[in-house]
Amino acid sequence: MSENGTWHAAAALSEIKENEPLGVEIAGQHVALYRVGENFYATGNICTHAEALLSDGMLDGCEIECPLHMGRFDIRTGEALTSPVEVDIAVYPVRVVGDRLEVCLPE
Ligand code: FES
């Protein structure tokens, strides 16, 4: 447990491939995991515009493009970048523990 949430094992590092977002369900929440170089990121996986899964979208640098209407989010900040998305996506802290990635989800 941390100040703002609880750490959960999310995936083995080897499962999270560059340019291939990985959708996982952790404690009932849909989370998308990303690898950009040596860095890892986690966001909510359900687009804030409709119901599409961002893990089915295209990762371009640190921007994820929704597969349904091509709205984009910055995976580092969750900021909604391009129409039609207007509401930011949640971002979650991540940490590497051994060969696994952990994600801190709010209570
Ligand atoms: S559902 Fe993602 S942009 Fe519309």
Side-chain angles (χ1 to χ4, degrees):
M1 189 127 121
S2 79
E3 239 173 76
N4 301 310
T6 301
W7 289 97
H8 299 267
L13 298 183
S14 59
E15 293 178 279
I16 312 166
K17 301 191 171 23
E18 188 110 25
N19 297 321
E20 288 181 32
L22 178 67
V24 294
E25 198 173 324
I26 306 170
Q29 297 194 51
H30 294 279
V31 176
L33 308 175
Y34 313 89
R35 178 197 290 257
V36 180
E38 293 306 308
N39 297 315
F40 294 90
Y41 302 93
T43 71
N45 198 14
I46 298 177
C47 184
T48 57
H49 180 239
E51 293 291 306
L53 292 177
L54 295 181
S55 58
D56 291 336
M58 190 192 72
L59 186 63
D60 178 14
C62 285
E63 295 182 11
I64 183 69
E65 184 179 83
C66 177
L68 197 51
H69 307 111
M70 315 311 176
R72 285 182 169 229
F73 299 92
D74 187 317
I75 63 171
R76 297 166 296 187
T77 62
E79 183 182 0
L81 297 173
T82 60
S83 177
V85 296
E86 295 179 340
V87 177
D88 296 349
I89 196 92
V91 292
Y92 306 114
V94 298
R95 67 184 182 189
V96 172
V97 179
D99 61 355
R100 301 193 68 78
L101 189 73
E102 292 189 352
V103 176
C104 187
L105 297 179
E107 297 301 312

